């Protein structure tokens, strides 16, 4: 079997296990007939689910693995059992170049820890970042970091900006994505020292990169779609993501309650059904599923644990697109280009150590 488009699937991760994983893989293979899969998990439930996925079954390999990483497992516990779990084996397939990517809906912390140890970071990258798409008023925006690094130096934020732009060029097909740092204000004097230093470094060298650095963006600018890539530390990014998800649930919940209030509002809901359906689709996390650990020496995609079949299919397709567009090569080239164009006087300043060590 060709390894060119072989994706390793952790069939035991997530809330629903092999049934959703393989149904999603079936949809993904319909979109991309060149996809092939290696399935890691407990053999009996995997084979049972595979019976309902004929396109996957025609080309898939099953690797029986009894161990499962639970959602309650600490990363340190999962790491010790990596070789005996479906998640660990799927990542190992990427490390050994037997698969081009791994996809799992399992424990995020465990997946991140295992992947970082097994794959290590790309040359010149200090820390990987968790990146995903977020719906806005204009189009989807790229947001990172979403929880992998709670505290970041200026150099880390610079790396995230460069990697996020490369991701946006691949997933959103943007030639020169607009990049901004998340801050409490747009003025240059606001924010932490790390944010100010990261902005200084990006202004100094980003002009020679395939991105447009626009400065700072406030939290209320995310939903407006003012920029294509929002860069922040994992602490703030995770809060922003969860707040956006909660707001989406609040809006749909309040609308549902308002439309059920009387027969007149029910009639209004009936007349508004096409618009409501479009709103629901826009806010549905399954349509934006597939977070990626950028900066690793391999492609690892995290599906939401509660994703449905469409959601898991989207996560697989994100993995396939990143590999096809050589995201690792793009990041390497962009980071090298950034450092090559960083002015000597900037390298000699306070941010030099963070930029060079990043």
């Amino acid at each position: 079997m060709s390894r060119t488009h072989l994706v390793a699937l952790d069939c035991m991760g997530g809330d629903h296990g092999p049934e959703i994983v393989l149904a999603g893989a079936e949809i993904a293979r319909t979109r991309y007939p060149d996809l092939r899969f290696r399935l890691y998990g407990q053999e009996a439930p995997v084979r049972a689910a595979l019976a309902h996925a004929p396109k996957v079954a025609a080309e898939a390999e099953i690797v029986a693995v009894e161990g499962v990483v639970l959602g309650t497992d600490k990363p340190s516990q999962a790491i010790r059992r990596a070789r005996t779990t479906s998640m660990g084996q799927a990542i190992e397939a990427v490390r050994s170049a037997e698969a081009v990517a791994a996809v799992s809906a399992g424990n995020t912390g465990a997946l991140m820890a295992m992947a970082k140890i097994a794959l290590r970071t790309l040359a010149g990258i200090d820390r990987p970042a968790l990146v995903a798409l977020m719906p806005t008023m204009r189009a989807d925006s790229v947001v990172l970091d979403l929880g992998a690094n709670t505290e970041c130096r200026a150099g880390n934020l610079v790396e995230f900006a460069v990697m996020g732009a490369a991701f946006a060029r691949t997933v959103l097909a943007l030639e020169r994505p607009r990049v901004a740092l998340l801050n409490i204000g747009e003025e240059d004097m606001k924010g932490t020292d790390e944010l100010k230093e990261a902005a200084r470094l990006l202004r100094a060298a980003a002009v020679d990169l395939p991105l447009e650095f626009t400065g700072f963006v406030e939290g209320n600018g995310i939903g407006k779609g003012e920029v294509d890539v929002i860069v922040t530390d994992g602490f703030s990014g995770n809060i922003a993501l969860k707040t956006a998800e909660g707001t989406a649930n609040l809006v749909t919940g309040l609308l549902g309650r308002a439309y059920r209030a009387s027969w007149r509002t029910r009639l209004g809901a009936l007349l508004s059904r096409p618009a409501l359906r479009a709103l629901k689709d826009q806010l549905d996390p399954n349509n934006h599923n597939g977070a990626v650990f950028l900066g690793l020496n391999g492609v690892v995609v995290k599906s939401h644990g509660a994703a449905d079949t469409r959601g898991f299919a989207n996560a697989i397709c994100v993995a396939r697109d990143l590999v096809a567009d050589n995201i690792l090569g793009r990041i390497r080239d962009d980071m090298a280009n950034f450092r090559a164009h960083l002015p000597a006087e900037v390298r000699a300043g306070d941010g030099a150590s963070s930029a060079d060590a990043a």
Side-chain angles (χ1 to χ4, degrees), residues 28-307:
R29 190 150 194 265
T30 300
R31 296 180 191 171
Y32 292 115
D34 59 356
L35 277 171
R36 303 292 184 269
F37 301 103
R38 181 175 291 175
L39 313 175
Y40 293 88
Q42 296 171 353
E43 187 167 6
V46 170
R47 287 197 179 278
L50 196 58
H52 303 287
K55 293 179 181 179
V56 175
E59 295 285 350
E61 301 176 17
I62 298 177
V63 178
V65 185
E66 288 300 313
V68 176
V69 176
L70 303 177
T72 55
D73 287 346
K74 295 180 179 179
S76 57
Q77 295 173 319
I79 289 171
R80 288 194 292 269
R81 299 190 297 113
R83 295 185 179 182
T84 62
T85 62
S86 55
M87 180 187 289
Q89 286 295 295
I91 295 172
E92 175 60 24
V94 178
R95 189 201 66 78
S96 62
E98 295 179 19
V100 295
V103 182
S104 173
N107 183 316
T108 303
L111 185 66
M112 179 73 209
M114 285 186 188
K116 187 172 181 179
I117 289 175
L119 302 177
R120 303 192 181 279
T121 55
L122 290 167
I125 299 296
D126 181 36
R127 301 180 187 178
L130 185 61
V131 59
L133 297 177
M134 187 179 291
T136 76
M137 292 290 291
R138 296 182 180 178
D140 289 344
S141 290
V142 173
V143 186
L144 74 167
D145 179 23
L146 292 175
N149 307 279
T150 56
E151 295 182 1
C152 294
R153 295 179 291 107
N156 301 133
L157 295 173
V158 168
E159 292 173 2
F160 297 168
V162 174
M163 294 192 295
F167 183 85
R169 282 155 50 209
T170 295
V171 176
L172 301 180
L174 299 173
E175 290 186 8
R176 194 175 176 81
R178 298 163 299 165
V179 179
L181 296 165
L182 185 63
N183 201 351
I184 58 173
E186 296 181 1
E187 299 85 354
D188 290 344
M189 74 285 296
K190 290 189 175 180
T192 64
D193 291 341
E194 289 77 11
L195 281 169
K196 294 174 185 177
E197 179 62 12
R200 185 174 77 102
L201 293 169
L202 286 167
R203 288 193 183 97
V207 66
D208 297 295
L209 291 174
L211 63 88
E212 178 187 351
F213 178 63
T214 63
F216 299 130
V217 62
E218 294 183 78
N220 59 5
I222 298 177
K224 295 177 184 178
E226 293 179 351
V227 295
D228 305 307
V229 181
I230 298 100
V231 179
T232 185
D233 60 82
F235 185 84
S236 303
N238 192 268
I239 291 176
L241 174 66
K242 297 297 174 59
T243 301
E245 291 176 347
T247 302
N249 290 333
L250 173 65
V251 170
T252 55
L254 290 177
L255 278 175
R257 183 188 303 174
Y259 278 126
R260 291 191 299 269
S262 68
W263 69 266
R264 289 186 178 87
T265 56
R266 291 190 183 95
L267 178 60
L270 183 64
L271 295 174
S272 304
R273 183 173 293 177
L276 292 173
R277 185 178 294 115
L279 175 63
K280 182 179 179 181
D281 288 343
Q282 181 69 12
L283 296 178
D284 187 350
N286 286 293
N287 294 329
H288 306 88
N289 190 44
V292 182
F293 294 122
L294 282 185
L296 293 175
N297 229 330
V299 175
V300 177
V301 176
K302 169 66 173 70
S303 168
H304 196 291

Side-chain angles (χ1 to χ4, degrees), residues 279-349:
L279 175 63
K280 182 179 179 181
D281 288 343
Q282 181 69 12
L283 296 178
D284 187 350
N286 286 293
N287 294 329
H288 306 88
N289 190 44
V292 182
F293 294 122
L294 282 185
L296 293 175
N297 229 330
V299 175
V300 177
V301 176
K302 169 66 173 70
S303 168
H304 196 291
D308 63 14
T309 55
R310 293 179 301 108
F312 200 86
N314 286 338
I316 294 174
C317 291
V318 166
R320 189 263 181 202
D321 290 343
L322 292 176
V323 171
D325 209 45
N326 188 24
I327 186 66
L328 303 186
R330 284 191 178 217
I331 291 173
R332 289 190 192 98
D333 292 345
D334 287 355
M335 284 305 304
N337 191 22
F338 174 83
R339 289 192 174 84
H341 290 91
L342 197 63
E345 62 271 20
V346 174
R347 283 199 298 269

